[in-house]
Structure formats: C-alpha cells, structure tokens
Amino acid sequence: MTTIFGKRLKAERERKKNTDPKWTQEYVGNLVGVARPTYTSYENGTKEPPRETINKIADTFNVSIDYLEGRTDIRNYELLNGNHSDEHEIYIAYLGGPPEEIDEEEAEHLRNQLEMFRLQKEKQKRDREKKQEKK
C-alpha cells in the first residue's frame, strides 16, 4: 500500500499547492494531526499511517481511501459512487506516476493514438499467423 499511497498522497498535496502555496507537508500534517516528519514518511512510503489518519487524509483531499490505496483510479467520492455531475475531469496515469489531469482535446488525441496502436498490433498478429500457416 505505501508505495502507491505515498505517490498519490504527494500528488494530491502538490495539486493543492499549485493553487495555494500553504499546502506544505507541515500544513497537511497539522490538518491530519501528525508531525511534519511523520507526514513526510507517509509521502515517501517509509511509514504506513493508521486507518484513522488515512480517513482524515482522504477527507482533507476529498478523495476516496480506495483511490489513495490504489484500488481505483477514481479520485472523487461522487464519481466512485456513480453520482456524476455534468462537469467531469479526465485523468491519465502513467505507470508508476501520479494521475495528471488532461483536457478533452488531449484525451481525444490519446484515444486516437491508442486505437491506431491497437489496430497495428492486431495487423502484426494476423501477419505472424499467416507466416506460421505458410510454414
């Protein structure tokens, strides 16, 4: 749990810090009731917080515990429970990295690129099968 938990925790704090510089490790530590070094160890993945602290962290960032623990890529409680508003966010997650928000144009581009890749992969598979049949 700690590796993905730490990465997502840090990503959430940095997301907040991008719009408001007060969101330091010390500030979040104070919000959830732990010292800065303890909070830092959560972000670094060297220490696992107790369940009560995980609950406070999830509430502080308005994300689900399942998201923080890597059991879902859906950050928001409402989306996790199927309560979608007309407004929605699009995210992409890189292997080993935190999810990052992208706009609709970027999402469409990625969908197109993925579709082209899948078609190419399928064609290569058919070509290999044809080659095998000739042998």
Side-chain angles (χ1 to χ4, degrees), residues 4-55:
I4 194 153
F5 181 89
K7 286 179 182 180
R8 289 190 171 182
L9 179 58
K10 184 174 184 174
E12 288 303 313
R13 184 183 58 76
E14 288 180 346
R15 184 186 323 275
K16 294 273 194 185
K17 192 173 182 182
N18 284 338
T19 58
D20 187 348
K22 74 180 178 193
W23 286 84
T24 62
Q25 290 178 332
E26 184 167 359
Y27 177 76
V28 177
N30 288 335
L31 290 176
V32 299
V34 299
R36 189 209 45 84
T38 301
Y39 178 82
T40 300
S41 68
Y42 299 158
E43 280 193 6
N44 291 336
T46 57
K47 190 172 190 181
E48 190 172 316
R51 184 53 88 188
E52 181 181 321
T53 303
I54 294 173
N55 290 337

Side-chain angles (χ1 to χ4, degrees), residues 79-97:
L79 293 176
L80 186 61
N81 294 322
N83 302 328
H84 299 51
S85 66
D86 287 340
E87 216 177 293
H88 61 278
E89 298 171 337
I90 303 168
Y91 290 90
I92 182 167
Y94 300 97
L95 292 177

Side-chain angles (χ1 to χ4, degrees), residues 1 5 19 23 28-29 33-34 45 54 73 100 102-103 107 111 115 131 135:
M1 174 184 115
F5 181 89
T19 58
W23 286 84
V28 177
V34 299
I54 294 173
D73 289 332
E100 107 181 30
I102 61 174
D103 63 28
R111 281 190 285 270
E115 182 61 25
K131 205 175 199 179
K135 288 185 177 181

